[in-house]
Amino acid sequence: MPQKNDERQINLALQAMQNDPDLSARAAGKIYSVDHEKLSRRKRGMRPRRDIPANLRKLTDLEESVLVQHILDLATKGFPPRMSIVEDIANRLCTTRDATRDTLRVGIH
């Protein structure tokens, strides 16, 4: 059985399982060419991996948008942002949010 990561097929299989309570995840997976274990996990409420935020994120979404806006402001003024400056700003954002942990530093990515 070819395994697809097509979200559409997974959603169709989940709808079919809701409409027909006798339809098992294995049977729905076979019909829609989707992994039955993935269907079982989704039915239990596990979200797709693309919808789950990364565990090792140092900055919040707001902090990231502030950092991006600052980079764009520097670029429009004609100052190319250096990696060391961007890293320093990101580290300052981290320390102002969580001043108790001094070891919280961003990486190069």
Side-chain angles (χ1 to χ4, degrees):
M1 173 177 82
Q3 294 187 3
K4 298 179 183 178
N5 290 329
D6 193 7
E7 196 66 31
R8 217 176 14 209
Q9 293 296 103
I10 293 170
N11 287 332
L12 286 173
L14 287 172
Q15 286 177 356
M17 289 172 63
Q18 284 178 346
N19 293 338
D20 184 7
D22 294 332
L23 185 64
S24 67
R26 189 175 296 272
K30 195 170 199 174
I31 293 169
Y32 291 97
S33 299
V34 177
D35 183 24
H36 66 91
E37 292 176 4
K38 186 181 286 189
L39 281 177
S40 296
R41 287 191 300 266
R42 293 285 180 84
K43 189 174 181 181
R44 289 192 307 265
M46 183 177 278
R47 298 184 310 191
R49 181 174 281 246
R50 65 181 167 82
D51 293 345
I52 299 172
N55 292 338
L56 298 176
R57 286 187 61 185
K58 304 282 196 231
L59 299 175
T60 64
D61 289 335
L62 178 63
E63 290 167 339
E64 274 190 23
S65 64
V66 166
L67 182 62
V68 168
Q69 188 59 47
H70 186 69
I71 291 169
L72 293 174
D73 288 343
L74 284 175
T76 57
K77 292 176 183 175
F79 299 107
R82 286 196 222 139
M83 187 61 113
S84 60
I85 293 172
V86 173
E87 184 179 354
D88 185 46
I89 295 169
N91 285 327
R92 285 184 188 178
L93 285 171
C94 284
T95 54
T96 56
R97 175 176 30 97
D98 194 4
T100 59
R101 297 191 322 188
D102 294 332
T103 60
L104 188 66
R105 306 213 18 104
V106 297
I108 59 172
H109 299 290

